[in-house]
Amino acid sequence: MEQTLAYLRESLSNYTEEHQVSLQIYKKLEKKSYKSEGDFVRELDEQEIEFLNQVLPGEINHAMDAQDYNRVQELNEVYELLF
């Protein structure tokens, strides 16, 4: 799995028990091997995109606070593709 999507999957694991959409996205990442973030984002539906738009800014800020700049960059790549 590409590193960017691995970071995303790890972030989503924090939400899977509380949010069905998170679990849905998580399962997509588990079941299919995407060649790129773009391939993954193209397969998201409206509800999944909206969920990621809500969650990713907080996850990126958390990574910034932890000074995990690699994670910041990788998660930001997915976030930018959502638009």
Side-chain angles (χ1 to χ4, degrees):
M1 173 181 290
E2 188 188 272
Q3 187 62 39
T4 301
L5 297 178
Y7 279 128
L8 178 62
R9 190 174 85 175
E10 183 180 339
S11 293
L12 288 170
S13 70
N14 296 319
Y15 302 91
T16 56
E17 290 185 23
E18 299 169 12
H19 301 280
Q20 183 63 32
V21 177
S22 178
L23 182 59
Q24 186 176 310
I25 299 168
Y26 185 91
K27 286 181 179 180
K28 277 186 180 184
L29 290 168
E30 264 190 331
K31 290 180 182 179
K32 188 170 179 181
S33 180
Y34 295 94
K35 292 182 182 181
S36 71
E37 307 89 36
D39 289 344
F40 167 72
V41 169
R42 282 188 283 281
E43 289 196 11
L44 296 173
D45 64 29
E46 292 283 328
Q47 187 179 29
E48 293 166 337
I49 290 170
E50 179 62 31
F51 180 81
L52 290 176
N53 276 326
Q54 292 175 9
V55 170
L56 282 176
E59 290 296 318
I60 292 167
N61 285 334
H62 177 71
M64 282 291 282
D65 291 344
Q67 297 180 347
D68 188 347
Y69 302 116
N70 228 11
R71 179 181 294 270
V72 169
Q73 180 180 353
E74 300 290 344
L75 292 176
N76 195 52
E77 285 182 28
V78 174
Y79 186 61
E80 288 176 354
L81 289 172
L82 295 175
F83 297 102

